[in-house]
Amino acid sequence: MQKQILLLGVFGHPKSNTQTLAHWVLEGLDYTTINLADRQLNFIQDQRWAPLWLPPVDDYQKILQAFLAAPTVVLASPIYWYGLAARLKAFIERWSETLALEPTFRQRIACKRLILLMVGGDDPRVKAQPIVQQVAEICAFLGMTLQATVIGQANRPGSLSNDPVAVRQAASLNQDLKAVGQ
Amino acid sequence: MQKQILLLGVFGHPKSNTQTLAHWVLEGLDYTTINLADRQLNFIQDQRWAPLWLPPVDDYQKILQAFLAAPTVVLASPIYWYGLAARLKAFIERWSETLALEPTFRQRIACKRLILLMVGGDDPRVKAQPIVQQVAEICAFLGMTLQATVIGQANRPGSLSNDPVAVRQAASLNQDLKAVGQ
Amino acid sequence: MQKQILLLGVFGHPKSNTQTLAHWVLEGLDYTTINLADRQLNFIQDQRWAPLWLPPVDDYQKILQAFLAAPTVVLASPIYWYGLAARLKAFIERWSETLALEPTFRQRIACKRLILLMVGGDDPRVKAQPIVQQVAEICAFLGMTLQATVIGQANRPGSLSNDPVAVRQAASLNQDLKAVGQ
Amino acid sequence: MQKQILLLGVFGHPKSNTQTLAHWVLEGLDYTTINLADRQLNFIQDQRWAPLWLPPVDDYQKILQAFLAAPTVVLASPIYWYGLAARLKAFIERWSETLALEPTFRQRIACKRLILLMVGGDDPRVKAQPIVQQVAEICAFLGMTLQATVIGQANRPGSLSNDPVAVRQAASLNQDLKAVGQ
């Protein structure tokens, strides 16, 4: 049976702080996890202007179907070089391909609720604001709702528990998600 | 007796949506309100390099003392021209004067918790992100914590209740504030 | 006779770095200067929803007419607390009053070319980007063009000449302005 | 012999507007071009905490050496989903690998001059400001200088010439580059 929440993240390390943050937010809830670091994903080949768009062979379609099936998606990314992880950005860029090929894509993705979780080491609650803005623009373009954002600060694997703001905000968001029965 | 929460806002209209948002967030809590639209506040005269800094005569000191006395301050501003209301920005700029004149200012303002509430009409959850970043930079500079941000969308006085995201986020933040006993 | 360029700035100190930057950019060109630090300007009283809008008595109308008469306006502001100077922001906010009262305002301000000059001390070429974005949004809203931006770094009056990037960009922009005969 | 300028871009279409913008900026100058859309590049595998970092086998090292050898690098990216193209971001993320493995990397990349060129369709001079900020942060972190930015607006291959701002800014930057003998 389809779960209500998809956790779509980039978790490179066994003690990934980004994964830890996601687990705090989703504790006690039923959800599916996809780790893009374990999947095969190609960069988009822009063929918008070509006669035929030939998608590469990889895991994109499977990940996309899981994304579209879940009413709530938790996007969890480490902050790499002041941006989303390129693996996650590469997934989003493939949506241009789907926009060109799937007439129902816009309708299916609209109204989805996104939750954005990020962890970085260099003053992330200030310096990741442009990323929040980027994701908010993406949501506005597609009619999705950016429901909540939690940004954690950590410099070593396993060290996120030293960030009291992230701990508190994750717990608060967890309560909210439970309250609405997700 | 000093209250624990100060609501410092710019409320121009009797049905100010910004004030409505603040009331939702603070419902059932004990707080003091200062409306900058009702106070006399002069622009800063930069005299950092002058031999003596002569502050203008206005309500700045009273407002500042209320600000410093409250552990939690809710900053509530309409979004005017993609920025904080100039009245609120003018208040913040006066801190340069206080930094120059009051040796204890940095110590007294550090560790304060800020909550930022804003309401705008032009896609504010996207377009107000630069303001969030500005306030986050200010907090980082002074050692304050930006605890939470709620951004509402409304175009006419009294219309904020049509924004379900703002309604839900305000209620959730209200619960959080009650839970920590503020 | 009306000059082609208006320099509208906030210059507080006799050795204002912001003013220095503006002089580099405009050297050899014919322009009018308005220093908002020398003018009387009130905050907007939002009366959009009132039966009659009564503007305060101050220098706003004179400044506005100079602004509207010049095809190119150089906005020059120190970076105060990671934002435009409140005096300049307060001037812009008054445009809401003019939008409500002057049917020709939109037409007269559209197509104006803005040049944005800012000077700050805390890593301004990074941290002032949200301000650039704010001004770009304002321009987009009113149909103005943000033609160029120069951001200088300086910490003491008279020290801008130590910023080689600002020196070079100002000289380059000065050449461009001369080349188009302004 | 090593050229002084590297053009590092993501050009997917034969009539790529991003490539057109780069050609305007670099007309008459001597430069090398690398198109990331033609190269094999893997995502970073974060192994900062592993005993040994095993880089993937691809074109990264060749591209990196060209990057480090040129005093001026022009980064040219289409704006995909309000961000840099994932191919370019993936290249930058690999720098974490090089930081871990090459003690001289920081010294060799410091003082490089970057020029950022971007083309997008959705109000890019406003909405790409967060990307400028991201690149400015990256430059600040590594001691590089973000010398200039040109943002073009175009919606179809070959249509950039309809954007007079991009045409003028590219010509002006071209003159500047020639003036300094690059």
Side-chain angles (χ1 to χ4, degrees):
Chain A
M1 204 191 91
Q2 180 59 42
K3 299 211 173 120
Q4 293 295 300
I5 303 177
L6 170 68
L7 168 59
L8 179 64
V10 179
F11 312 128
H13 187 273
K15 291 190 183 178
S16 158
N17 286 303
T18 306
Q19 193 165 27
T20 299
L21 179 57
H23 287 173
W24 291 344
V25 166
L26 294 172
E27 195 189 350
L29 293 157
D30 198 21
Y31 62 98
T32 308
T33 302
I34 293 179
N35 180 3
L36 289 173
D38 296 338
R39 300 300 176 106
Q40 182 62 34
L41 189 68
N42 290 315
F43 293 113
I44 194 168
Q45 298 279 359
D46 188 349
Q47 300 170 71
R48 266 176 297 173
W49 318 104
L52 202 69
W53 193 311
L54 299 172
V57 178
D58 59 7
D59 296 335
Y60 173 67
Q61 277 302 329
K62 273 192 195 165
I63 305 168
L64 179 68
Q65 294 314 319
F67 189 98
L68 292 174
T72 296
V73 174
V74 177
L75 288 181
S77 175
I79 300 169
Y80 285 159
W81 295 92
Y82 310 100
L84 292 176
R87 286 177 188 275
L88 180 55
K89 180 69 186 339
F91 172 70
I92 292 170
E93 290 186 7
R94 294 288 294 279
W95 292 350
S96 297
E97 179 187 309
T98 310
L99 277 169
L101 299 178
E102 298 285 347
T104 63
F105 175 65
R106 272 190 170 276
Q107 184 184 329
R108 292 179 69 196
I109 203 167
C111 300
K112 193 171 296 298
R113 290 184 297 274
L114 282 196
I115 292 171
L116 177 63
L117 309 180
M118 297 188 287
V119 180
D122 180 10
D123 200 3
R125 276 182 285 268
V126 170
K127 296 193 175 177
Q129 293 300 333
I131 313 178
V132 178
Q133 187 164 13
Q134 177 188 15
V135 174
E137 289 279 3
I138 291 171
C139 287
F141 180 77
L142 290 173
M144 298 188 287
T145 300
L146 181 56
Q147 186 172 347
T149 301
V150 180
I151 301 172
Q153 177 155 9
N155 281 294
R156 302 191 63 80
S159 73
L160 187 67
S161 49
N162 297 328
D163 176 359
V165 176
V167 169
R168 190 179 58 232
Q169 291 188 341
S172 170
L173 180 53
N174 178 259
Q175 289 183 335
D176 291 352
L177 289 172
K178 283 177 178 163
V180 296
Q182 295 181 316
Chain B
M1 204 191 89
Q2 179 61 42
K3 300 215 173 117
Q4 293 295 299
I5 302 179
L6 170 68
L7 168 59
L8 179 64
V10 179
F11 313 129
H13 187 274
K15 292 191 182 177
S16 158
N17 287 303
T18 306
Q19 193 165 27
T20 300
L21 179 57
H23 287 174
W24 291 345
V25 166
L26 294 173
E27 196 189 349
L29 293 156
D30 198 22
Y31 61 98
T32 308
T33 301
I34 293 179
N35 180 3
L36 289 173
D38 295 338
R39 301 298 177 107
Q40 182 61 33
L41 188 68
N42 291 314
F43 294 113
I44 193 168
Q45 299 278 0
D46 188 350
Q47 300 171 70
R48 266 177 296 174
W49 318 103
L52 202 68
W53 193 311
L54 298 172
V57 178
D58 59 7
D59 296 335
Y60 172 67
Q61 278 301 327
K62 274 192 193 165
I63 305 168
L64 179 69
Q65 294 313 319
F67 189 98
L68 292 174
T72 296
V73 175
V74 177
L75 289 181
S77 174
I79 300 168
Y80 285 158
W81 296 93
Y82 310 100
L84 292 176
R87 286 177 188 275
L88 180 55
K89 179 70 187 334
F91 172 70
I92 292 171
E93 290 186 6
R94 293 289 293 279
W95 293 350
S96 297
E97 180 186 309
T98 311
L99 276 169
L101 298 178
E102 297 287 348
T104 63
F105 175 65
R106 272 191 170 276
Q107 184 185 328
R108 291 179 69 197
I109 203 168
C111 301
K112 193 171 296 298
R113 289 184 296 276
L114 283 196
I115 291 170
L116 178 61
L117 308 181
M118 297 188 287
V119 180
D122 181 8
D123 200 3
R125 275 182 285 269
V126 169
K127 297 192 174 176
Q129 292 300 333
I131 313 177
V132 177
Q133 187 164 13
Q134 177 189 16
V135 175
E137 289 278 4
I138 291 170
C139 288
F141 181 76
L142 290 173
M144 298 189 288
T145 300
L146 181 56
Q147 186 172 347
T149 301
V150 180
I151 302 172
Q153 177 155 10
N155 281 295
R156 299 192 65 78
S159 72
L160 187 67
S161 50
N162 297 328
D163 176 359
V165 175
V167 169
R168 191 179 58 231
Q169 291 187 342
S172 170
L173 180 54
N174 179 259
Q175 288 185 335
D176 291 353
L177 290 172
K178 284 177 178 163
V180 296
Q182 293 183 319
Chain C
M1 204 192 89
Q2 179 60 43
K3 301 219 172 110
Q4 294 295 299
I5 302 178
L6 170 67
L7 168 58
L8 179 63
V10 179
F11 312 129
H13 187 275
K15 292 191 183 177
S16 158
N17 287 302
T18 306
Q19 193 166 25
T20 299
L21 179 57
H23 287 173
W24 291 345
V25 167
L26 293 172
E27 196 189 348
L29 293 157
D30 198 22
Y31 62 98
T32 309
T33 301
I34 293 179
N35 180 4
L36 289 173
D38 295 338
R39 301 299 177 106
Q40 182 61 34
L41 189 68
N42 291 313
F43 293 113
I44 193 168
Q45 299 278 0
D46 188 350
Q47 299 171 71
R48 265 176 297 174
W49 318 104
L52 202 68
W53 193 310
L54 298 172
V57 178
D58 58 8
D59 296 335
Y60 172 67
Q61 278 301 329
K62 272 192 194 165
I63 305 169
L64 179 69
Q65 294 313 318
F67 189 98
L68 291 175
T72 296
V73 175
V74 178
L75 288 181
S77 174
I79 301 168
Y80 285 159
W81 295 93
Y82 310 101
L84 293 176
R87 285 178 190 274
L88 180 54
K89 180 68 186 336
F91 171 70
I92 292 171
E93 290 185 6
R94 294 287 294 279
W95 293 350
S96 297
E97 180 186 309
T98 310
L99 276 169
L101 298 178
E102 297 287 348
T104 63
F105 175 65
R106 271 190 171 277
Q107 185 185 327
R108 291 180 69 197
I109 202 167
C111 301
K112 195 172 294 298
R113 290 183 296 275
L114 283 195
I115 291 170
L116 177 62
L117 308 180
M118 297 188 287
V119 180
D122 180 10
D123 200 2
R125 275 183 285 269
V126 170
K127 296 193 175 177
Q129 292 300 332
I131 312 177
V132 178
Q133 187 164 14
Q134 177 188 14
V135 175
E137 289 278 4
I138 291 170
C139 288
F141 180 76
L142 290 172
M144 298 188 288
T145 300
L146 181 56
Q147 186 172 345
T149 301
V150 180
I151 302 172
Q153 177 154 10
N155 281 295
R156 300 191 66 78
S159 72
L160 187 66
S161 50
N162 298 328
D163 176 358
V165 175
V167 169
R168 191 180 56 233
Q169 292 187 342
S172 170
L173 180 54
N174 178 260
Q175 288 184 335
D176 291 353
L177 289 172
K178 284 177 177 161
V180 296
Q182 293 182 317
Chain D
M1 204 191 89
Q2 181 60 41
K3 300 217 172 113
Q4 293 295 299
I5 303 178
L6 170 67
L7 168 59
L8 179 63
V10 179
F11 312 129
H13 187 274
K15 291 191 182 177
S16 158
N17 286 303
T18 307
Q19 193 166 27
T20 298
L21 180 57
H23 287 174
W24 291 345
V25 167
L26 294 172
E27 196 189 347
L29 293 158
D30 198 22
Y31 62 97
T32 308
T33 302
I34 293 179
N35 180 3
L36 289 174
D38 296 338
R39 301 299 177 107
Q40 181 62 33
L41 189 68
N42 291 314
F43 293 113
I44 194 168
Q45 299 280 358
D46 188 350
Q47 300 170 71
R48 265 176 297 173
W49 318 103
L52 202 68
W53 194 311
L54 298 173
V57 179
D58 58 7
D59 296 335
Y60 172 66
Q61 278 301 329
K62 272 192 194 165
I63 305 168
L64 179 69
Q65 294 313 319
F67 189 99
L68 292 175
T72 296
V73 175
V74 177
L75 288 181
S77 175
I79 300 169
Y80 286 158
W81 296 92
Y82 309 100
L84 292 176
R87 286 178 189 274
L88 181 55
K89 180 67 185 340
F91 171 70
I92 292 170
E93 290 186 7
R94 293 289 292 280
W95 292 349
S96 297
E97 180 186 308
T98 311
L99 276 170
L101 299 178
E102 297 287 348
T104 63
F105 175 65
R106 271 190 172 278
Q107 185 185 327
R108 292 179 68 197
I109 202 167
C111 301
K112 194 171 295 298
R113 290 183 296 275
L114 282 195
I115 291 171
L116 178 62
L117 309 181
M118 297 188 287
V119 180
D122 180 9
D123 200 3
R125 277 182 284 269
V126 169
K127 297 193 175 177
Q129 292 299 333
I131 313 178
V132 178
Q133 187 164 13
Q134 176 188 16
V135 174
E137 289 279 3
I138 291 171
C139 287
F141 180 77
L142 290 172
M144 298 188 288
T145 300
L146 181 56
Q147 185 170 349
T149 301
V150 180
I151 301 172
Q153 177 154 10
N155 281 295
R156 301 192 64 80
S159 72
L160 188 66
S161 50
N162 298 328
D163 176 359
V165 176
V167 169
R168 191 179 57 233
Q169 292 187 341
S172 170
L173 180 53
N174 179 259
Q175 288 185 335
D176 291 354
L177 289 173
K178 283 177 178 161
V180 297
Q182 294 182 317

